[in-house]
Every structure is written in C-alpha cells, then in structure tokens.
Amino acid sequence: MKNAFVGIRACVCALILDSVIKLAKKAVIDVPTLVIAIVVFLAMCLFDLSPIILVVAAALAGIIIQSRRACK
Amino acid sequence: MIYIRLFYEFFKTGLFAIGGGLATLPFLRDIATKTGWFTEALLADMIAISESTPGPIGVNMATYAGYQTAGICGALCATLGLVTPAIIVLLLVARVLDAFKDNRFVNSAFYGLRPAVAGLIGAAGITVAKSSLINLAAEGGFLRMLEIPSVCIFILVFVSMKTFKGHPIWYLLASAAAGILLGIA
C-alpha cells in the first residue's frame, strides 16, 4: 500500500503541473499577466505568505492595470 | 473553540479560493503548515482521491480535517465553513447576474486573478513535489536527492497526458501499480 501511494503522489505532481499549464495558457495573455503569474509564484515559494493577500493584491492589480489602459 | 476555528479557516478558503478545481490547493497548504491538521503528503493523497471520486478537493479536505480534529461535528463545521461563502456570493450575484457579467471592475479583477491563481497553484505544486519527488534528507548534491522511480513516473504520466489525454483516474491507477511494482523490484 505504501508503495502505491509513492506512485500516486508522483502522478499527482504531473496532474498539478498539467492543470497549471492549462490555466496559464488561458490567463497569461500579455506582459502584465505574465508578470503577475511569476511574481505570485515566487512570492509563494520564497516567503511564507498567506495566499489571501496575493489574491486580493492580484485583483487590485488587475483593476489598476485595466483602468489605466482605459484612460489611454 | 475548535469548531469555530475549523469553520473560520475553511470559510477563508471558501471566500478567497477563486477559480475552481485545484484553486483551493494553496489555501489548504497554508492551513496544513499553520495548524498541523493534516500533512503535506496527505494533501497529495487527497488530490489523488479528489481527482478520482466525485466531489471537489476543498470539500473532501474540509470534511477530512474536520473529522480528524473534532469528529463528525468538526467535519460539519469545516465543510459548512468552506461552502458558506460560495452560497452567500451566489445568492447575491444571482440577483444581478447580468450587471455583474459585464461589469468593468469585475472583468478587470479577473484579468489579474487568473494568472495569480496559476502562480499560486504552481507554488503549491512545488510543495507537493518536495514531499514526493525529492528526498531532502539525502546527501551529495541535487541529483542524489531525486527519488528516481517517482521522477520517472512523474515524467511518464506528464508526457502521456499530453499525448493521450484521458481521465486522471487511469493515470492514478497506473501510477499506483507502477509504485507497487517498483517497490517490489
């Protein structure tokens, strides 16, 4: 049983990677979205942050970036 | 009060985990490190269970963590905590769906949220990989730390998913079998 879960955990890593790639393909459509994805990824990996802060910050960043575009 | 704590932690997850599917993963990882209600290795097993059975991972994890910490009442509190925000938001949004759909602010917020969710899940994936593909206790450089059989399964599954598609449960079953075979050999 223990060995079965060793295989399953490895498979789960592949499932996660696949779903991240699918999400990123839909979400990363220009430079700002690429920057947001990379910054959030690094912030989560390097610092012990709560994901809530990053979600709120990303939503605000989206609103600010899009409204500045609308002004131009 | 453990019941309130369970409700509160999973309520936060339900409120902020936007995007469906694995979007709850980074929040569950956060709960795992903060409270110790479940381990990160268990999180990987729970993803496998949730990918192969009905029910989203957040609900499964809330039920499990609640039950482990405080029995059936704990399971109820955690699960209710997780779904309450969704119910409230749906009730509010359902009334004004048309206005909401084309709202400039909502669309702009999602423009920023989507890539953030991808980054969050990616980072949570790194945590899961650390507990399953890498043996941090091993010495002698990065290559020595890799769990070679696990890494082989990982690469094989990823490549065949890209080539054949198909439901995750088949890959999970094959990987379980491969794990057993490699363990015996």
Side-chain angles (χ1 to χ4, degrees), chain B residues 5 9-10 19 55 81 85 101-102 105 110-112 122 128 137 155 162 185:
Chain B
R5 180 92 199 280
E9 288 295 337
F10 283 97
K101 212 170 50 185
D102 299 319
F105 281 107
F110 271 99
Y111 166 84
V128 176
I155 294 170
K162 284 272 157 252

Side-chain angles (χ1 to χ4, degrees), chain B:
Chain B
M1 259 301 263
I2 183 71
Y3 296 123
I4 296 170
R5 180 92 199 280
L6 279 166
F7 184 88
Y8 173 67
E9 288 295 337
F10 283 97
F11 183 88
K12 279 195 297 186
T13 303
L15 188 59
F16 288 101
I18 302 156
L22 289 175
T24 46
L25 186 57
F27 294 86
L28 296 173
R29 194 200 72 100
D30 193 45
I31 293 178
T33 49
K34 250 181 17 196
T35 65
W37 287 337
F38 45 88
T39 63
E40 278 148 4
L42 188 100
L43 200 53
D45 300 343
M46 196 57 82
I47 297 166
I49 295 168
S50 302
E51 290 281 343
S52 42
T53 57
I57 175 170
V59 172
N60 291 355
M61 202 71 234
T63 311
Y64 175 88
Y67 186 76
Q68 283 293 309
T69 32
I72 291 174
C73 278
L76 271 175
C77 288
T79 312
L80 273 178
L82 187 78
V83 298
T84 303
I87 293 170
I88 296 173
V89 170
L90 275 176
L91 287 176
L92 292 176
V93 171
R95 287 163 181 266
V96 288
L97 185 64
D98 283 326
F100 194 79
K101 212 170 50 185
D102 299 319
N103 186 292
R104 201 162 51 83
F105 281 107
V106 175
N107 284 333
S108 310
F110 271 99
Y111 166 84
L113 276 172
R114 278 187 216 107
V117 170
L120 283 176
I121 298 176
I126 298 284
T127 313
V128 176
K130 266 190 205 157
S131 73
S132 49
L133 302 182
I134 297 169
N135 178 12
L136 288 173
E139 285 175 14
F142 180 70
L143 276 177
R144 285 278 178 82
M145 290 208 274
L146 288 177
E147 299 272 14
I148 299 297
S150 295
V151 174
C152 291
I153 295 176
F154 168 75
I155 294 170
L156 271 177
V157 169
F158 185 72
V159 172
S160 41
M161 276 206 308
K162 284 272 157 252
T163 337
F164 307 116
K165 314 287 179 203
H167 195 274
I169 191 161
W170 303 117
Y171 297 105
L172 288 164
L173 284 174
S175 307
I180 293 169
L181 287 175
L182 288 170
I184 294 165

Side-chain angles (χ1 to χ4, degrees), chain A residues 5 8-9 11 13 18 30 33 62, chain B residues 45 48 108 111 115 132 162 175:
Chain A
F5 274 102
I8 285 172
R9 282 180 201 148
C11 180
C13 291
D18 184 58
D30 49 20
T33 45
Chain B
D45 300 343
S108 310
Y111 166 84
S132 49
K162 284 272 157 252
S175 307

